[in-house]
Amino acid sequence: MEGAAGTYNSRTAEEVFRDFRGRRAGMIKALTTEVDKFYQLCDPEKENLCLYGLPNETWEVNLPAEEVPPELPEPALGINFARDGMDEKDWLSLVAVHSDAWLLAVAFYFGARFGFDKEARRRLFNMINNLPTIYEVVTGTAKKQSKDKTPNSSGKSNKSSSKMQSRQAESKALKIPPPKEEDEESGEEDEEEDEEEHGNTLCGACGDNYANDEFWICCDVCERWFHGKCVRITPARAEHIKQYKCPGCSNKRARA
């Protein structure tokens, strides 16, 4: 299959991880922000189709490679056949699980091909393991896990918790992540709380973590956060949106 493997010159664990991250980002787009296009391409009337993630953060649905053995491990075959026989959410979750398995297979194929030793393999796995799986991003499990991991330590007073809740309520109305307060006395404490609270927030499109120097917007339907750049929303445009619906929620309503 032309273009499925892409070009690669990976030699180190870090280079293989960059390849992994690019392919992962492309597949997440297919299953979230570009899910309507993905759904249409997976026509059950066509032959065995596969979802491929490419190193340049794009994706494609295509037939499996013709050469035997293939240049890279192949993803799950026939994902299109189950499309109309399952609930759409369950189908996307199934494709996400198989996509995670394929990404790991490709990464460790490179590891074997380039002769990684035990330390390089451990480093590669640790970098991969620090990212949420595609399944976790698609199903929203990653967001739930982040909430569960938020510590309720005794170091946080009721006053601090109340301030955090009020900032969250304000942020949803403004469509941007919670801002830092400008109180000189509690500035450092609030900064630590912001990092702790939102450091585990993940973009529903690319799956990357929250960064306070980037614009984010929250979907009012599924309540997932997105980088503005991932959903093509600018801060100026967000100010005029009364109720924001992410591409995934908009597409679901359109098909219904």
Side-chain angles (χ1 to χ4, degrees):
M1 192 216 71
E2 185 178 353
T7 58
Y8 56 87
N9 294 305
S10 301
R11 292 293 185 275
T12 67
E14 287 71 25
E15 288 172 326
V16 171
F17 176 67
R18 283 197 293 271
D19 179 276
F20 173 94
R21 189 170 54 189
R23 295 177 189 275
R24 172 182 170 277
M27 300 179 96
I28 288 176
K29 288 178 184 177
L31 299 175
T32 55
T33 57
E34 299 176 14
V35 67
D36 194 46
K37 179 181 177 182
F38 172 68
Y39 186 91
Q40 297 299 327
L41 289 174
C42 291
D43 185 350
E45 298 299 321
K46 295 182 180 179
E47 298 181 41
N48 282 307
L49 294 176
C50 304
L51 171 61
Y52 293 91
L54 306 181
N56 62 354
E57 301 188 6
T58 60
W59 59 275
E60 65 179 5
V61 171
N62 214 323
L63 296 171
E66 295 181 0
E67 64 267 21
V68 179
E71 184 179 1
L72 290 179
E74 285 294 309
L77 298 174
I79 58 173
N80 50 315
F81 296 147
R83 191 195 74 176
D84 294 343
M86 300 176 64
D87 176 78
E88 181 181 342
K89 184 177 179 180
D90 293 337
W91 176 67
L92 291 173
S93 298
L94 180 63
V95 175
V97 168
H98 283 290
S99 298
D100 283 319
W102 178 70
L103 286 176
L104 286 172
V106 171
F108 281 86
Y109 163 83
F110 282 140
R113 178 167 182 169
F114 300 132
F116 285 3
D117 59 15
K118 181 178 179 180
E119 173 60 24
R121 292 194 303 271
R122 183 195 62 77
R123 197 163 70 250
L124 173 60
F125 178 79
N126 285 341
M127 288 187 288
I128 291 174
N129 201 41
N130 283 332
L131 293 175
T133 64
I134 297 178
Y135 174 82
E136 289 172 338
V137 173
V138 170
T139 60
T141 307
K143 182 178 179 180
K144 294 177 183 177
Q145 289 178 345
S146 297
K147 289 182 178 179
D148 293 341
K149 289 179 181 178
T150 302
N152 294 319
S153 62
S154 57
K156 288 185 179 181
S157 64
N158 293 332
K159 182 177 180 181
S160 298
S161 299
S162 299
K163 282 197 284 185
M164 180 60 68
Q165 291 174 359
S166 65
R167 286 201 299 275
Q168 289 177 329
E170 180 183 356
S171 70
K172 191 168 183 180
L174 294 175
K175 306 291 181 182
I176 56 176
K180 298 179 181 177
E181 291 188 354
E182 296 181 356
D183 187 352
E184 292 182 359
E185 296 181 356
S186 60
E188 292 183 1
E189 178 183 349
D190 290 338
E191 183 177 353
E192 291 178 358
E193 287 183 1
D194 281 344
E195 291 178 356
E196 180 180 358
E197 181 74 16
H198 305 292
N200 290 325
T201 301
L202 304 171
C203 175
C206 68
D208 284 344
N209 290 66
Y210 165 78
N212 56 19
D213 60 344
E214 295 179 306
F215 170 70
W216 283 54
I217 186 167
C218 181
C219 175
D220 288 305
V221 178
C222 65
E223 296 187 348
R224 294 165 69 185
W225 288 94
F226 298 85
H227 288 111
K229 63 183 180 182
C230 290
V231 291
R232 299 180 181 178
I233 298 293
T234 64
R237 183 179 175 188
E239 291 296 329
H240 301 285
I241 299 177
K242 293 182 179 180
Q243 184 182 45
Y244 174 68
K245 294 180 183 178
C246 68
C249 292
S250 299
N251 292 333
K252 287 179 183 177
R253 184 164 184 175
R255 283 199 296 274

